[in-house]
Amino acid sequence: MRGERRAYIMFLTLWVLATAVKVLVASRLPLFVDEAFYWQEGQHLAAAYSDLPGLTAWLTRLGVEVAGGHRLGVRLPFLALGALLPWMVAWITGRWFGGRIGWQAGCLALLMPMSATLGILAVPDVPMAIAALLCLGAGARLLRGVDAGGALLLALGLVVGALSHYRFLGVIIVGFIALVLLPEGRRVLRDPRIWIALATGIVAWLPLMAWNLENQDAGLKFQIIERHPWVFSSEGLLFLLIQPLMVTPVLFVAMVMVGISGVRKATGGFHHVQWRYFALVGAASTALIFLLGFFTDAERISFHWPLPGYLALLVGVPVLLTHWPKAWRRAVWVTAAIGLVIALGYYLVVSMPGLRQEMAGSKYYPRNFAGWSPLAAAVREELQHMPADTTVLAGSFKVGSELGFGLDDPSIQVLPHPLNDRHGRTAQLALWGLVSDGHRDNPQLLVLAPSDQRYRDLLARYHAVCELVGPLPPPRVVSLDHGFQRFLLFRLPATRQEGPCVTPAMAWVDVPAAGASVARGVVDVQGWAFKDGVGLDRVELLVDGHSVGDAVYGRVFDIRQAWPGTNDPHHPAVGFDARVDTRPLAPGRHWLGMRLHGKDGSVEEWAEQPFVVE
C-alpha cells in the first residue's frame, strides 16, 4: 500500500504541474492553421466536413461558447480531454496489474512527450486518443467476460472514434485483429452484444458517409487517395528515426519489448491475457503505421499517427520494468522527463515572439504559428481607411481561417490555391460559398502570404492572382521574424483594373550567401531584383533593419529563363551591386535586408538573411 500511495502522489503532482503548464502554453500559443480551420468549421456547424467528421469542430464551438472566442476558449475542451487521458491510462493499467503499476503507467503517460502535450492544440488526435483508450479498456474487460457494461464502453469508444477522424478505422481493424489472435478474444466476438456495440459504432460513421455521398466522395478521396502517393519512398526511414525522439529513446525500447513479448505469446513470465492483449494491439498498430510511413503523405506532419498504438504499449511498460535492472528503470524515467521538458519548452518558445524570432532562418521556424495577431491588427487598420463596404479576400484557406479567427469573421472569401487542395479544404470552402473567382462589386482588401509558397513557384502564383483580380496595387507589407513570415495587403478598388500584370517585387542576394561569415571591413553585396509590370526604381540595403544606402541597380543579369513569363520592363538589367562596411558592427550574427522601391510608388521590405561578422 505504501508503494501505491507513493506512486499516486507522484502521479497527482506530475498531473497538476503538467496541466498547469499546458493551460499556460495554450493561453499564449497562437492558433496553428489547422486549429483555425477547425474553429471556422465550428462556426458553420454541420454533421460532418470535407476533412473530418464533426466532433473536432463541435468541440471548438463548445469551447468558444463556454469560455469565449479566444485561443484558450477554442482549446479548452481539448485540454480537458488531454488532462483526462493519463487518468484513463492509470485506470486501465491499475485494474489489471494493481494500483501501484497503474499510477506508474499514468506517470509515463504524463511524461511521454507525444501524450503529455496532447490537448495543447485543438486537433482531432485528442478525442481519437480518448476513443482508442475507451476501446482498449473495453476490450480488456470483455476478455474477462462479456457484460453489458463492457459492451457499452466499447460502443462509446467506437462512437467517439468514428466522430473524430478517418484514421480511427485503423484502430478498429487493429483491435479486431488482436481479438482474433486470442482464444478469449474469439469467444468475445461470438457474443451478440459485441455486434450490437459494433453496429452502434457503424451508425456513428453515417454522417461522414452521407457527406461523401453528397459531395462525390471528396473527403474520402482526399484522405485515402489524393494526399498519399502510395509508392515506396525512403523518407519513411526518417519517420522511423523520429519516433524514438517523440516518445524518448529508452521508453521506446521498452515499448518495443512489450510488443515483441505480446507477439511471442508473452514468454518470460508475462502470461496475463490482458497484458498480451495490450501488447498485441500496440504492436500491430505501431507496425502498421510504420509500414504505411513508407507509402503515405510525407508533406504534412504525421509523426503523431502511432499514438494510439503507443498508448496500448505504454499500459504494459510498468509490468515489464519490474524485470529490468534499477539503472535501466531509472533511465526510462529520467529520459522521459527530459523529453517532456523539451517538448513543453518548444511550445513555450513558439508562444513567445522574442524567442520565436531567434528560430528565424532555421528549418524549425514555426511559420504556421507566427504572425497572425499582427496580421489581424494590420487588416483592421487598413479597413478603417477603406470604404465601409470593403470585404476581406484571403489568398488561401490558411490566411482566411486565421484572419477569420482574429477578426471574428468565419466567412472570409478565399482565392483558389493549391494549398486548399493539398489540405482537403477546397470542397468545404466551396460548400460555404467562400471560394472567390475574383469577381467583385465592392472594394476588397486582398491578403496574400508569400511565405506559404515555394519560392520557385511564387511568381507564377502572383500571375495567377493577377488573372483573377487584375493588376496588383502597391502592397502594405507586414513582415515578422526578419521576414520569414510576410504578408502583403492590397487595397483593390471596386472595379477591376486593366493592364499588364503588376506583381509584388522579387529579389535575391547571391553574395554573401545566407549564413556566411564575413571579415570586418568592406563587404561586397550582389544580387538581383525585379517587379513585374512596372519595374523597380531603386534597391535600398538594410543591416539589422537600418538603411546603409542604395545599391547600384541595373547591372545586366538575365534571369528570364529561371522566371518564365516575367514582364519587368528593365529585363535583363535587374542585377545590383553594393559595398557594405561591417566595421561598425559587433562580431556575431547580423541581418542583411532590402527595401525595394517600385516605380509605382510601392515600398516593400524583403526577407532578411543572416550573416556573421568575424
Side-chain angles (χ1 to χ4, degrees):
M1 290 297 294
R2 183 180 300 175
E4 180 179 343
R5 179 172 178 78
R6 187 184 303 116
Y8 170 71
I9 292 173
M10 178 182 292
F11 170 83
L12 191 61
T13 302
L14 281 173
W15 183 84
V16 170
L17 291 175
T19 302
V21 173
K22 286 165 67 174
V23 171
L24 173 64
V25 172
S27 67
R28 297 178 54 90
L29 186 69
L31 287 190
F32 188 74
V33 290
D34 286 341
E35 292 181 280
F37 193 78
Y38 301 146
W39 166 86
Q40 189 175 15
E41 289 178 325
Q43 300 304 301
H44 296 86
L45 285 176
Y49 302 90
S50 67
D51 55 338
L52 290 175
L55 185 56
T56 301
W58 304 341
L59 289 173
T60 65
R61 180 64 176 269
L62 174 64
V64 168
E65 294 296 329
V66 170
H70 46 75
R71 61 191 70 159
L72 185 58
V74 172
R75 291 165 172 157
L76 188 61
F78 300 87
L79 284 166
L81 291 175
L84 175 64
L85 183 138
W87 290 93
M88 293 180 66
V89 171
W91 170 71
I92 292 171
T93 311
R95 178 167 186 165
W96 304 109
F97 308 120
R100 181 177 65 85
I101 296 294
W103 296 122
Q104 288 177 353
C107 288
L108 288 173
L110 284 165
L111 292 177
M112 184 174 74
M114 197 180 289
S115 57
T117 56
L118 209 64
I120 290 178
L121 302 182
V123 292
D125 299 272
V126 183
M128 193 173 111
I130 295 296
L133 284 175
L134 286 170
C135 292
L136 188 72
R141 176 174 172 173
L142 293 168
L143 286 171
R144 186 185 63 181
V146 178
D147 59 6
L152 283 173
L153 190 64
L154 177 61
L156 177 61
L158 292 172
V159 169
V160 174
L163 295 174
S164 298
H165 204 289
Y166 286 87
R167 288 201 313 273
F168 192 73
L169 285 170
V171 176
I172 297 173
I173 293 170
V174 166
F176 183 81
I177 291 173
L179 289 176
V180 168
L181 290 175
L182 295 169
E184 299 87 348
R186 292 192 289 274
R187 286 196 293 269
V188 168
L189 292 174
R190 288 193 288 267
D191 193 291
R193 287 169 290 184
I194 299 306
W195 292 98
I196 293 173
L198 292 173
T200 304
I202 291 173
V203 170
W205 289 97
L206 290 180
L208 193 62
M209 294 168 63
W211 189 97
N212 278 281
L213 286 172
E214 293 173 2
N215 294 276
Q216 295 76 49
D217 294 324
L220 196 61
K221 287 177 181 176
F222 170 74
Q223 292 288 350
I224 298 179
I225 300 173
E226 294 172 358
R227 72 174 294 181
H228 302 297
W230 295 119
V231 293
F232 180 83
S233 172
S234 59
E235 291 186 17
L237 290 172
L238 179 61
F239 178 87
L240 296 183
L241 292 174
I242 288 175
Q243 291 306 307
L245 300 179
M246 295 295 102
V247 298
T248 65
V250 186
L251 179 57
F252 182 82
V253 171
M255 290 193 293
V256 169
M257 293 182 68
V258 169
I260 292 174
S261 298
V263 173
R264 291 180 176 177
K265 299 186 178 181
T267 57
F270 304 117
H271 300 294
H272 202 296
V273 64
Q274 278 77 19
W275 192 92
R276 189 174 178 223
Y277 166 70
F278 298 140
L280 284 172
V281 169
S285 175
T286 306
L288 178 62
I289 295 295
F290 282 7
L291 177 63
L292 289 176
F294 288 95
F295 300 91
T296 53
D297 178 18
E299 182 178 343
R300 280 162 288 271
I301 295 173
S302 58
F303 63 77
H304 56 286
W305 287 8
L307 178 60
Y310 289 157
L311 291 174
L313 294 172
L314 195 68
V315 171
V317 166
V319 180
L320 177 73
L321 293 184
T322 60
H323 298 261
W324 277 25
K326 183 177 181 180
W328 283 104
R329 294 199 304 269
R330 183 174 298 171
V332 169
W333 294 101
V334 171
T335 54
I338 293 172
L340 174 62
V341 170
I342 293 173
L344 291 177
Y346 171 79
Y347 282 114
L348 279 172
V349 168
V350 173
S351 70
M352 298 179 181
L355 295 177
R356 187 184 66 232
Q357 187 181 68
E358 294 300 314
M359 301 173 72
S362 76
K363 63 181 179 179
Y364 303 108
Y365 176 69
R367 181 171 287 110
N368 283 324
F369 288 105
W372 303 114
S373 293
L375 173 62
V379 168
R380 289 193 194 95
E381 185 177 323
E382 288 294 302
L383 291 175
Q384 289 175 358
H385 297 91
M386 297 183 71
D389 61 344
T390 300
T391 58
V392 177
L393 177 62
S396 71
F397 88 90
K398 290 186 177 184
V399 177
S401 299
E402 290 283 3
L403 267 183
F405 177 75
L407 303 176
D408 194 23
D409 180 3
S411 298
I412 292 176
Q413 285 204 316
V414 173
L415 290 175
H417 196 294
L419 278 175
N420 305 340
D421 302 331
R422 289 203 299 268
H423 289 264
R425 270 66 192 261
T426 297
Q428 190 61 61
L429 291 167
L431 281 178
W432 294 333
L434 298 183
V435 179
S436 172
D437 62 0
H439 176 78
R440 60 185 184 273
D441 296 314
N442 53 284
Q444 287 185 327
L445 181 64
L446 171 63
V447 183
L448 301 182
S451 305
D452 285 335
Q453 194 80 37
R454 288 187 305 183
Y455 190 56
R456 67 186 183 189
D457 300 327
L458 186 54
L459 183 64
R461 175 60 185 168
Y462 286 153
H463 280 268
V465 172
C466 277
E467 290 180 7
L468 290 168
V469 304
L472 299 175
R476 172 177 174 177
V477 180
V478 179
S479 181
L480 300 117
D481 300 337
H482 302 292
F484 281 83
Q485 180 68 295
R486 296 172 72 240
F487 303 101
L488 305 176
L489 282 58
F490 304 87
R491 297 184 185 184
L492 301 179
T495 303
R496 177 190 172 109
Q497 305 298 298
E498 299 301 326
C501 179
V502 178
T503 72
M506 304 274 292
W508 192 263
V509 174
D510 292 315
V511 179
S517 296
V518 300
R520 292 174 64 86
V522 178
V523 175
D524 289 327
V525 177
Q526 296 179 347
W528 50 262
F530 67 92
K531 182 178 176 68
D532 271 11
V534 292
L536 291 173
D537 187 50
R538 60 192 182 98
V539 175
E540 182 182 3
L541 293 185
L542 310 174
V543 172
D544 297 333
H546 302 290
S547 177
V548 292
D550 288 356
V552 178
Y553 182 66
R555 170 171 51 86
V556 173
F557 191 79
D558 196 345
I559 61 170
R560 286 173 292 186
Q561 187 172 0
W563 300 101
T566 178
N567 62 7
D568 185 307
H570 290 161
H571 283 310
V574 295
F576 65 81
D577 302 275
R579 307 196 78 196
V580 174
D581 189 355
T582 64
R583 286 173 293 188
L585 303 177
R589 188 168 72 159
H590 297 271
W591 293 88
L592 175 66
M594 290 176 281
R595 188 174 288 140
L596 307 171
H597 298 258
K599 288 190 176 295
D600 59 350
S602 61
V603 179
E604 304 172 40
E605 289 203 8
W606 192 252
E608 303 171 65
Q609 66 182 52
F611 67 98
V612 178
V613 176
E614 296 179 336

